[in-house]
């Protein structure tokens, strides 16, 4: 298994580039579904190819994507993600007001993703059947960790997700699932 890559963003403008809702969805699609053209992304997200092409060029400008070396033909440009994840330093964001605001916007976007994914699933729960109803949902855990242990836990969760992602062939009955992980310290009276 090739180690998934993370781009560490220290520039507020670059991070703001991926807080845009359509660009975030397009980048996520390139990361999960693989390379695509502006036209394919336009159909996928109900946008014109001109709109998706514009946003793809911005993602390229900030180093999130590139032209795929394996182009389908001479006319269509297929794009691919350069990294599986986008990361940043919360310590640096605290020192840089513009970067800090971009990080807060990313955190709001991630929280909104959890809320939206939950609402969509709840609205369509019946179509997924009893097996998915039994295993889907939210949960929370409280455990005392050092910062090093917290990093180890994040790394182990990521490795486990990639172990499932990289298995081939996929077992019958697999569906795309979204797993959201939030990890931060809280006061004892909050657990």
């Amino acid at each position: 298994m090739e180690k998934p890559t993370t781009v560490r963003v220290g520039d507020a403008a670059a991070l703001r580039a991926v807080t845009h809702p359509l660009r975030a969805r397009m980048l996520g699609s390139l990361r999960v579904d693989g390379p695509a053209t502006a036209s394919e992304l336009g159909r996928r997200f109900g946008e014109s190819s001109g709109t998706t092409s514009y946003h793809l060029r911005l993602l390229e400008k900030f180093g999130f994507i590139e032209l795929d070396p394996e182009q389908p033909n001479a006319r269509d440009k297929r794009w691919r993600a350069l990294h599986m994840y986008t990361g940043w330093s919360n310590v640096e964001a605290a020192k840089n007001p513009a970067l800090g605001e971009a990080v807060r916007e990313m955190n709001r976007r991630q929280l909104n993703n959890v809320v939206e994914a939950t609402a969509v699933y709840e609205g369509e729960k019946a179509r997924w059947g009893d097996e998915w109803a039994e295993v889907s949902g939210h949960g929370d855990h409280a455990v005392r960790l050092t910062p090093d242990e917290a990093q180890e836990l994040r790394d182990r969760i990521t490795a486990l997700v990639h172990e499932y992602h990289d298995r081939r062939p996929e077992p019958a009955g697999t569906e795309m699932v979204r797993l959201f992980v939030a990890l931060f310290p809280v006061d004892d009276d909050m657990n």
Side-chain angles (χ1 to χ4, degrees):
M1 167 178 110
E2 185 178 318
K3 186 175 183 338
T5 57
T6 299
V7 61
R8 298 282 294 182
V9 179
D11 177 63
L15 194 55
R16 278 194 308 272
V18 292
T19 63
H20 185 278
L22 179 57
R23 285 193 292 267
R25 291 190 344 248
M26 289 170 45
L27 180 57
S29 178
L30 293 173
R31 286 174 170 172
V32 173
D33 302 321
T37 66
S39 296
E40 291 168 338
L41 291 168
R43 286 189 296 275
R44 189 172 297 157
F45 297 114
E47 299 286 343
S48 72
S49 61
T51 298
T52 55
S53 182
Y54 167 79
H55 289 294
L56 287 166
R57 286 191 303 276
L58 280 175
L59 290 171
E60 177 190 34
K61 173 184 173 184
F62 289 108
F64 293 102
I65 67 171
E66 69 179 1
L67 285 173
D68 188 350
E70 299 178 23
Q71 293 295 319
N73 57 55
R75 188 174 67 93
D76 296 318
K77 291 181 183 177
R78 187 167 59 187
W79 298 88
R80 72 177 185 174
L82 287 170
H83 315 92
M84 189 63 187
Y85 301 106
T86 302
W88 53 82
S89 167
N90 289 319
V91 172
E92 290 303 314
K95 296 174 186 175
N96 177 332
L99 181 59
E101 181 52 39
V103 166
R104 285 186 292 280
E105 179 60 28
M106 283 297 289
N107 288 335
R108 286 188 292 270
R109 173 150 311 289
Q110 290 170 331
L111 182 58
N112 287 339
N113 286 343
V114 174
V115 172
E116 182 181 318
T118 300
V120 168
Y121 173 73
E122 289 297 326
E124 299 178 349
K125 189 184 286 189
R127 91 172 173 90
W128 290 103
D130 292 345
E131 288 179 315
W132 281 108
E134 194 63 33
V135 298
S136 298
H138 295 270
D140 65 303
H141 305 276
V143 60
R144 292 185 182 282
L145 301 172
T146 66
D148 287 343
E149 290 171 327
Q151 185 63 55
E152 177 188 4
L153 179 59
R154 287 178 61 141
D155 292 345
R156 289 176 66 187
I157 291 169
T158 299
L160 184 59
V161 168
H162 283 282
E163 180 182 315
Y164 281 93
H165 178 270
D166 293 341
R167 66 191 167 170
R168 295 290 180 261
E170 292 179 346
T174 59
E175 299 289 350
M176 180 63 71
V177 300
R178 300 206 43 204
L179 173 69
F180 298 96
V181 177
L183 188 151
F184 42 84
V186 297
D187 289 328
D188 283 343
D189 58 352
M190 290 188 68
N191 56 10

